[in-house]
Amino acid sequence: MDSYLIQMVTGKAALPSVLDVQVSRASKGPCCVAGKGRGHRKPHWAVRASEMSKRTFNPIRAIVDSMKVEPHPQKPLISLSIGDPTVFGNLPTDEQVTQAMKDALDSGKCNGYAPSTGYLSCREVVAGYYSCPEAPLQAQDVILTSGCSQAIELALAVLANPGQNILVPRPGFSLYKTLAHSMGIEVKFYDLLPEKSWESDLKQMESLVDEKTACLVVNNPSNPCGSVFCKGHLQKILAVCSRQCIPILADEIYAEMVFEEGKSESLAKLSSNVPILSCGGLAKRWLVPGWRMGWILIHDRREIFGKEIRDGLLRLSQRILGPCTIVQGALAHILHWTSPEFYHNTLSFLKSNAALCYTTLSTVCGLRPVKPSGAMYLMVGIEMEHFPEFENDVEFTERLIAEQSVFCLPATCFEYPNFFRVVLTVPEDMMAEACQRIRQFCEQHYEGAQDLECDK
Ligand SMILES: *Cc1c(COP(=O)(O)O)cnc(C)c1O
């Protein structure tokens, strides 16, 4: 649209409107061309991006691209913004995982098309890996996808029609809204409460449910909060869904990534009747996001989803085949051979960075970090009243780049203004340096009235 408007403004005023450029070949009235006989339409080029493409919007890109600041020239940039554990090279995947991929490639057996839901043997392996007596799984309960993102896309697409709505956490991972809006599905936000370690506001959650609600999205452990729900809280969420008859889309990509042993709970294990599509994958726990391996686990012990949803997922999986067959060929070994030390080392690294970052930022005037207990993130509240120079979290993080070369995502990206998110996968010395620079930045900009002096 814009380019045509520009043409209209800058073009020769004498010419009639050039609006007909937008009229597509087949549509509007005849447009006779001399010498070509009556009724013959003159075709025009009118290649327009689709409505769906225009409804597809990535808030992180939009916000980050709008932050046009250069890092401080004398300080090397420390980026605490990208949720990709491979960017600093300090967290390689397990040797066995790499070996499994090499073996799968060398076997020469993984080069063809797999069934749309994945190799049967592979689905069996995933089912066996996640099956437990409380929530048993078989191969037919597993659909392999291209990353957890495609799992979420398929799950949303099978559960919701355009015009329906889904309940999504705030703060939360932005993909849910991006996908939902592109599909014409409305998003309603339920709040996570920082003062309650990011537990959901259950009353508000339940009040959002209406006759058009297609599912509840639960992300546990959470990106961006780094929070982990306890068993009791998950049970309360299940009780809401049970009362309201709402299925759950559980984004459990950070399953098992918790700092206290034994604190990892899955919704499916605790559910007696609520049907759940649990989405997961290799990206985070195995530290290989680029391999694009994900899955949906169908938990439906009361047969509420039944054939309807299973057949729907099967049909959707046939649009485009999901995961790369080489990764599928390696999956059994990846799940069975990865050493316990690998998981342990990753978690103790994240836990120690979390402690370092939380402890340091807790003593900074004007900041309120919320202690994380899993995943790879920490959220920090900004007491904006003490930083009157800055309009909001976007401006705060923008100035932090310009003055200290530290880049954190403003939590406006996660629908949660006045916070920023710190990624904990960076090497320890960079983490420490970044926290010191954040402290210096805050000390330089903190303003407290006499009676509001910081007591830290
Ligand atoms: C990283 C992430 C995903 C995406 O996983 P992929 O397998 O890379 O598609 C999904 N959900 C959350 C909450 C994430 O942080």
Side-chain angles (χ1 to χ4, degrees), residues 359-393:
T359 319
T360 314
L361 298 186
S362 293
T363 62
V364 175
C365 291
L367 295 186
R368 287 188 184 277
V370 182
K371 193 172 187 181
S373 34
M376 7 186 261
Y377 314 95
L378 175 152
M379 283 275 273
V380 184
I382 313 165
E383 293 170 347
M384 293 307 309
E385 69 274 20
H386 288 300
F387 299 100
E389 278 173 78
F390 309 125
E391 191 69 32
N392 51 36
D393 54 318

mmCIF file of all heavy atoms in Angstrom, residues 359-393:
data_model
loop_
_atom_site.group_PDB
_atom_site.id
_atom_site.type_symbol
_atom_site.label_atom_id
_atom_site.label_comp_id
_atom_site.label_asym_id
_atom_site.label_seq_id
_atom_site.Cartn_x
_atom_site.Cartn_y
_atom_site.Cartn_z
ATOM 1 N N THR A 359 21.878 -12.989 42.862
ATOM 2 C CA THR A 359 22.491 -12.402 44.056
ATOM 3 C C THR A 359 23.019 -11.005 43.751
ATOM 4 O O THR A 359 22.807 -10.073 44.531
ATOM 5 C CB THR A 359 23.671 -13.281 44.548
ATOM 6 O OG1 THR A 359 23.269 -14.637 44.431
ATOM 7 C CG2 THR A 359 24.042 -12.982 45.963
ATOM 8 N N THR A 360 23.706 -10.848 42.628
ATOM 9 C CA THR A 360 24.260 -9.531 42.304
ATOM 10 C C THR A 360 23.145 -8.506 42.096
ATOM 11 O O THR A 360 23.165 -7.429 42.693
ATOM 12 C CB THR A 360 25.122 -9.604 41.023
ATOM 13 O OG1 THR A 360 25.973 -10.736 41.117
ATOM 14 C CG2 THR A 360 25.951 -8.356 40.849
ATOM 15 N N LEU A 361 22.178 -8.853 41.277
ATOM 16 C CA LEU A 361 21.153 -7.858 40.938
ATOM 17 C C LEU A 361 20.222 -7.547 42.107
ATOM 18 O O LEU A 361 19.611 -6.481 42.158
ATOM 19 C CB LEU A 361 20.365 -8.295 39.698
ATOM 20 C CG LEU A 361 21.190 -8.449 38.410
ATOM 21 C CD1 LEU A 361 20.284 -8.732 37.217
ATOM 22 C CD2 LEU A 361 22.066 -7.236 38.130
ATOM 23 N N SER A 362 20.133 -8.492 43.063
ATOM 24 C CA SER A 362 19.303 -8.242 44.257
ATOM 25 C C SER A 362 19.837 -7.072 45.056
ATOM 26 O O SER A 362 19.087 -6.437 45.799
ATOM 27 C CB SER A 362 19.310 -9.467 45.182
ATOM 28 O OG SER A 362 18.659 -10.516 44.570
ATOM 29 N N THR A 363 21.142 -6.806 44.956
ATOM 30 C CA THR A 363 21.725 -5.724 45.756
ATOM 31 C C THR A 363 21.792 -4.412 44.976
ATOM 32 O O THR A 363 22.406 -3.464 45.425
ATOM 33 C CB THR A 363 23.161 -6.111 46.190
ATOM 34 O OG1 THR A 363 23.957 -6.275 45.007
ATOM 35 C CG2 THR A 363 23.175 -7.403 46.977
ATOM 36 N N VAL A 364 21.169 -4.384 43.806
ATOM 37 C CA VAL A 364 21.194 -3.159 42.993
ATOM 38 C C VAL A 364 19.925 -2.346 43.239
ATOM 39 O O VAL A 364 18.815 -2.874 43.111
ATOM 40 C CB VAL A 364 21.330 -3.500 41.492
ATOM 41 C CG1 VAL A 364 21.221 -2.240 40.637
ATOM 42 C CG2 VAL A 364 22.644 -4.219 41.219
ATOM 43 N N CYS A 365 20.138 -1.074 43.604
ATOM 44 C CA CYS A 365 18.989 -0.205 43.854
ATOM 45 C C CYS A 365 18.158 -0.032 42.593
ATOM 46 O O CYS A 365 18.693 0.274 41.529
ATOM 47 C CB CYS A 365 19.453 1.160 44.330
ATOM 48 S SG CYS A 365 20.162 1.069 45.958
ATOM 49 N N GLY A 366 16.853 -0.217 42.730
ATOM 50 C CA GLY A 366 15.952 0.012 41.605
ATOM 51 C C GLY A 366 15.641 -1.246 40.813
ATOM 52 O O GLY A 366 14.813 -1.202 39.911
ATOM 53 N N LEU A 367 16.295 -2.344 41.137
ATOM 54 C CA LEU A 367 16.003 -3.596 40.423
ATOM 55 C C LEU A 367 15.373 -4.618 41.365
ATOM 56 O O LEU A 367 15.710 -4.681 42.545
ATOM 57 C CB LEU A 367 17.280 -4.201 39.823
ATOM 58 C CG LEU A 367 17.993 -3.400 38.729
ATOM 59 C CD1 LEU A 367 19.145 -4.213 38.156
ATOM 60 C CD2 LEU A 367 17.027 -2.988 37.620
ATOM 61 N N ARG A 368 14.483 -5.403 40.822
ATOM 62 C CA ARG A 368 13.866 -6.490 41.576
ATOM 63 C C ARG A 368 13.905 -7.788 40.777
ATOM 64 O O ARG A 368 12.941 -8.132 40.087
ATOM 65 C CB ARG A 368 12.399 -6.172 41.884
ATOM 66 C CG ARG A 368 12.201 -5.130 42.935
ATOM 67 C CD ARG A 368 10.733 -5.012 43.320
ATOM 68 N NE ARG A 368 10.532 -3.935 44.272
ATOM 69 C CZ ARG A 368 10.734 -4.073 45.585
ATOM 70 N NH1 ARG A 368 11.091 -5.235 46.080
ATOM 71 N NH2 ARG A 368 10.554 -3.042 46.378
ATOM 72 N N PRO A 369 15.041 -8.487 40.856
ATOM 73 C CA PRO A 369 15.089 -9.772 40.147
ATOM 74 C C PRO A 369 14.189 -10.795 40.838
ATOM 75 O O PRO A 369 13.994 -10.717 42.048
ATOM 76 C CB PRO A 369 16.560 -10.183 40.269
ATOM 77 C CG PRO A 369 17.057 -9.479 41.485
ATOM 78 C CD PRO A 369 16.283 -8.189 41.584
ATOM 79 N N VAL A 370 13.605 -11.686 40.058
ATOM 80 C CA VAL A 370 12.779 -12.744 40.632
ATOM 81 C C VAL A 370 13.581 -14.037 40.522
ATOM 82 O O VAL A 370 14.016 -14.419 39.429
ATOM 83 C CB VAL A 370 11.437 -12.878 39.892
ATOM 84 C CG1 VAL A 370 10.564 -13.949 40.539
ATOM 85 C CG2 VAL A 370 10.699 -11.537 39.876
ATOM 86 N N LYS A 371 13.787 -14.687 41.646
ATOM 87 C CA LYS A 371 14.665 -15.863 41.681
ATOM 88 C C LYS A 371 14.141 -16.969 40.765
ATOM 89 O O LYS A 371 12.994 -17.395 40.905
ATOM 90 C CB LYS A 371 14.746 -16.372 43.116
ATOM 91 C CG LYS A 371 15.849 -17.368 43.316
ATOM 92 C CD LYS A 371 16.042 -17.705 44.773
ATOM 93 C CE LYS A 371 17.271 -18.570 44.882
ATOM 94 N NZ LYS A 371 17.557 -18.978 46.243
ATOM 95 N N PRO A 372 14.980 -17.428 39.832
ATOM 96 C CA PRO A 372 14.520 -18.495 38.938
ATOM 97 C C PRO A 372 14.786 -19.866 39.552
ATOM 98 O O PRO A 372 15.664 -20.017 40.403
ATOM 99 C CB PRO A 372 15.373 -18.305 37.691
ATOM 100 C CG PRO A 372 16.646 -17.700 38.186
ATOM 101 C CD PRO A 372 16.341 -16.965 39.462
ATOM 102 N N SER A 373 14.034 -20.865 39.105
ATOM 103 C CA SER A 373 14.304 -22.223 39.587
ATOM 104 C C SER A 373 14.397 -23.246 38.462
ATOM 105 O O SER A 373 14.454 -24.446 38.719
ATOM 106 C CB SER A 373 13.255 -22.637 40.626
ATOM 107 O OG SER A 373 12.013 -22.082 40.334
ATOM 108 N N GLY A 374 14.436 -22.772 37.222
ATOM 109 C CA GLY A 374 14.615 -23.700 36.105
ATOM 110 C C GLY A 374 14.727 -22.962 34.789
ATOM 111 O O GLY A 374 14.871 -21.736 34.758
ATOM 112 N N ALA A 375 14.686 -23.726 33.698
ATOM 113 C CA ALA A 375 14.863 -23.199 32.336
ATOM 114 C C ALA A 375 16.194 -22.440 32.239
ATOM 115 O O ALA A 375 17.159 -22.825 32.914
ATOM 116 C CB ALA A 375 13.669 -22.343 31.909
ATOM 117 N N MET A 376 16.267 -21.377 31.465
ATOM 118 C CA MET A 376 17.557 -20.702 31.286
ATOM 119 C C MET A 376 17.439 -19.186 31.324
ATOM 120 O O MET A 376 18.203 -18.481 30.692
ATOM 121 C CB MET A 376 18.237 -21.125 29.968
ATOM 122 C CG MET A 376 17.407 -21.991 29.035
ATOM 123 S SD MET A 376 18.330 -22.566 27.625
ATOM 124 C CE MET A 376 17.752 -21.354 26.428
ATOM 125 N N TYR A 377 16.488 -18.687 32.131
ATOM 126 C CA TYR A 377 16.236 -17.252 32.137
ATOM 127 C C TYR A 377 15.981 -16.740 33.539
ATOM 128 O O TYR A 377 15.668 -17.501 34.454
ATOM 129 C CB TYR A 377 14.994 -16.930 31.290
ATOM 130 C CG TYR A 377 14.977 -17.631 29.972
ATOM 131 C CD1 TYR A 377 14.298 -18.844 29.818
ATOM 132 C CD2 TYR A 377 15.674 -17.125 28.890
ATOM 133 C CE1 TYR A 377 14.297 -19.517 28.611
ATOM 134 C CE2 TYR A 377 15.686 -17.788 27.679
ATOM 135 C CZ TYR A 377 14.994 -18.986 27.546
ATOM 136 O OH TYR A 377 15.006 -19.657 26.349
ATOM 137 N N LEU A 378 16.095 -15.407 33.640
ATOM 138 C CA LEU A 378 15.758 -14.733 34.876
ATOM 139 C C LEU A 378 15.087 -13.414 34.492
ATOM 140 O O LEU A 378 15.539 -12.735 33.575
ATOM 141 C CB LEU A 378 17.056 -14.503 35.650
ATOM 142 C CG LEU A 378 17.068 -13.716 36.942
ATOM 143 C CD1 LEU A 378 18.235 -14.211 37.791
ATOM 144 C CD2 LEU A 378 17.239 -12.240 36.717
ATOM 145 N N MET A 379 14.008 -13.081 35.183
ATOM 146 C CA MET A 379 13.314 -11.819 34.911
ATOM 147 C C MET A 379 13.650 -10.821 36.013
ATOM 148 O O MET A 379 13.701 -11.184 37.190
ATOM 149 C CB MET A 379 11.807 -12.053 34.856
ATOM 150 C CG MET A 379 11.366 -12.687 33.557
ATOM 151 S SD MET A 379 11.098 -11.462 32.257
ATOM 152 C CE MET A 379 9.378 -11.057 32.611
ATOM 153 N N VAL A 380 13.896 -9.584 35.586
ATOM 154 C CA VAL A 380 14.270 -8.533 36.520
ATOM 155 C C VAL A 380 13.270 -7.384 36.409
ATOM 156 O O VAL A 380 13.081 -6.826 35.326
ATOM 157 C CB VAL A 380 15.687 -8.001 36.200
ATOM 158 C CG1 VAL A 380 16.121 -6.975 37.243
ATOM 159 C CG2 VAL A 380 16.692 -9.148 36.124
ATOM 160 N N GLY A 381 12.644 -7.058 37.523
ATOM 161 C CA GLY A 381 11.725 -5.923 37.553
ATOM 162 C C GLY A 381 12.505 -4.610 37.646
ATOM 163 O O GLY A 381 13.541 -4.551 38.315
ATOM 164 N N ILE A 382 12.031 -3.596 36.950
ATOM 165 C CA ILE A 382 12.654 -2.268 37.008
ATOM 166 C C ILE A 382 11.700 -1.348 37.764
ATOM 167 O O ILE A 382 10.545 -1.199 37.357
ATOM 168 C CB ILE A 382 12.879 -1.676 35.596
ATOM 169 C CG1 ILE A 382 13.519 -2.698 34.659
ATOM 170 C CG2 ILE A 382 13.721 -0.404 35.669
ATOM 171 C CD1 ILE A 382 13.428 -2.306 33.175
ATOM 172 N N GLU A 383 12.163 -0.756 38.868
ATOM 173 C CA GLU A 383 11.322 0.208 39.587
ATOM 174 C C GLU A 383 11.386 1.520 38.813
ATOM 175 O O GLU A 383 12.225 2.378 39.084
ATOM 176 C CB GLU A 383 11.822 0.356 41.026
ATOM 177 C CG GLU A 383 11.624 -0.921 41.836
ATOM 178 C CD GLU A 383 12.327 -0.910 43.192
ATOM 179 O OE1 GLU A 383 13.172 -0.013 43.423
ATOM 180 O OE2 GLU A 383 12.047 -1.809 43.992
ATOM 181 N N MET A 384 10.489 1.650 37.848
ATOM 182 C CA MET A 384 10.590 2.764 36.898
ATOM 183 C C MET A 384 10.542 4.129 37.598
ATOM 184 O O MET A 384 11.122 5.091 37.109
ATOM 185 C CB MET A 384 9.484 2.679 35.835
ATOM 186 C CG MET A 384 9.572 1.499 34.868
ATOM 187 S SD MET A 384 11.124 1.236 33.967
ATOM 188 C CE MET A 384 11.440 2.828 33.263
ATOM 189 N N GLU A 385 9.867 4.182 38.758
ATOM 190 C CA GLU A 385 9.769 5.483 39.456
ATOM 191 C C GLU A 385 11.157 5.976 39.895
ATOM 192 O O GLU A 385 11.358 7.167 40.094
ATOM 193 C CB GLU A 385 8.803 5.377 40.649
ATOM 194 C CG GLU A 385 9.268 4.529 41.817
ATOM 195 C CD GLU A 385 8.944 3.026 41.667
ATOM 196 O OE1 GLU A 385 8.706 2.580 40.525
ATOM 197 O OE2 GLU A 385 8.944 2.321 42.690
ATOM 198 N N HIS A 386 12.106 5.051 40.005
ATOM 199 C CA HIS A 386 13.465 5.468 40.382
ATOM 200 C C HIS A 386 14.352 5.754 39.174
ATOM 201 O O HIS A 386 15.521 6.084 39.324
ATOM 202 C CB HIS A 386 14.123 4.385 41.247
ATOM 203 C CG HIS A 386 13.522 4.322 42.622
ATOM 204 N ND1 HIS A 386 13.544 5.389 43.481
ATOM 205 C CD2 HIS A 386 12.859 3.325 43.269
ATOM 206 C CE1 HIS A 386 12.927 5.054 44.604
ATOM 207 N NE2 HIS A 386 12.498 3.810 44.502
ATOM 208 N N PHE A 387 13.808 5.559 38.008
ATOM 209 C CA PHE A 387 14.577 5.861 36.787
ATOM 210 C C PHE A 387 13.739 6.796 35.906
ATOM 211 O O PHE A 387 13.330 6.425 34.804
ATOM 212 C CB PHE A 387 14.932 4.570 36.034
ATOM 213 C CG PHE A 387 15.791 3.619 36.827
ATOM 214 C CD1 PHE A 387 15.226 2.522 37.475
ATOM 215 C CD2 PHE A 387 17.163 3.837 36.940
ATOM 216 C CE1 PHE A 387 16.008 1.648 38.219
ATOM 217 C CE2 PHE A 387 17.950 2.977 37.685
ATOM 218 C CZ PHE A 387 17.375 1.872 38.328
ATOM 219 N N PRO A 388 13.473 7.997 36.421
ATOM 220 C CA PRO A 388 12.551 8.898 35.701
ATOM 221 C C PRO A 388 13.054 9.306 34.314
ATOM 222 O O PRO A 388 12.274 9.751 33.489
ATOM 223 C CB PRO A 388 12.441 10.115 36.633
ATOM 224 C CG PRO A 388 13.624 10.036 37.522
ATOM 225 C CD PRO A 388 13.973 8.604 37.665
ATOM 226 N N GLU A 389 14.358 9.125 34.081
ATOM 227 C CA GLU A 389 14.896 9.437 32.752
ATOM 228 C C GLU A 389 14.297 8.556 31.658
ATOM 229 O O GLU A 389 14.312 8.914 30.490
ATOM 230 C CB GLU A 389 16.399 9.128 32.716
ATOM 231 C CG GLU A 389 17.306 10.162 33.276
ATOM 232 C CD GLU A 389 18.712 9.585 33.296
ATOM 233 O OE1 GLU A 389 19.344 9.543 32.227
ATOM 234 O OE2 GLU A 389 19.153 9.141 34.375
ATOM 235 N N PHE A 390 13.884 7.351 32.067
ATOM 236 C CA PHE A 390 13.459 6.386 31.057
ATOM 237 C C PHE A 390 11.947 6.222 31.062
ATOM 238 O O PHE A 390 11.322 6.077 32.113
ATOM 239 C CB PHE A 390 14.120 5.018 31.284
ATOM 240 C CG PHE A 390 15.610 5.101 31.449
ATOM 241 C CD1 PHE A 390 16.221 4.566 32.582
ATOM 242 C CD2 PHE A 390 16.401 5.729 30.490
ATOM 243 C CE1 PHE A 390 17.597 4.655 32.745
ATOM 244 C CE2 PHE A 390 17.774 5.821 30.648
ATOM 245 C CZ PHE A 390 18.380 5.285 31.782
ATOM 246 N N GLU A 391 11.409 6.211 29.864
ATOM 247 C CA GLU A 391 9.974 6.083 29.681
ATOM 248 C C GLU A 391 9.484 4.694 30.079
ATOM 249 O O GLU A 391 8.463 4.538 30.739
ATOM 250 C CB GLU A 391 9.665 6.342 28.200
ATOM 251 C CG GLU A 391 8.217 6.514 27.855
ATOM 252 C CD GLU A 391 7.642 7.810 28.402
ATOM 253 O OE1 GLU A 391 8.402 8.810 28.489
ATOM 254 O OE2 GLU A 391 6.466 7.809 28.757
ATOM 255 N N ASN A 392 10.241 3.681 29.707
ATOM 256 C CA ASN A 392 9.773 2.298 29.897
ATOM 257 C C ASN A 392 10.945 1.324 29.791
ATOM 258 O O ASN A 392 12.106 1.745 29.671
ATOM 259 C CB ASN A 392 8.714 1.955 28.836
ATOM 260 C CG ASN A 392 9.216 2.296 27.428
ATOM 261 O OD1 ASN A 392 10.402 2.129 27.147
ATOM 262 N ND2 ASN A 392 8.340 2.769 26.572
ATOM 263 N N ASP A 393 10.638 0.021 29.820
ATOM 264 C CA ASP A 393 11.694 -0.998 29.782
ATOM 265 C C ASP A 393 12.462 -0.989 28.456
ATOM 266 O O ASP A 393 13.656 -1.305 28.423
ATOM 267 C CB ASP A 393 11.112 -2.395 30.051
ATOM 268 C CG ASP A 393 9.961 -2.739 29.118
ATOM 269 O OD1 ASP A 393 9.112 -1.867 28.872
ATOM 270 O OD2 ASP A 393 9.907 -3.875 28.626
#
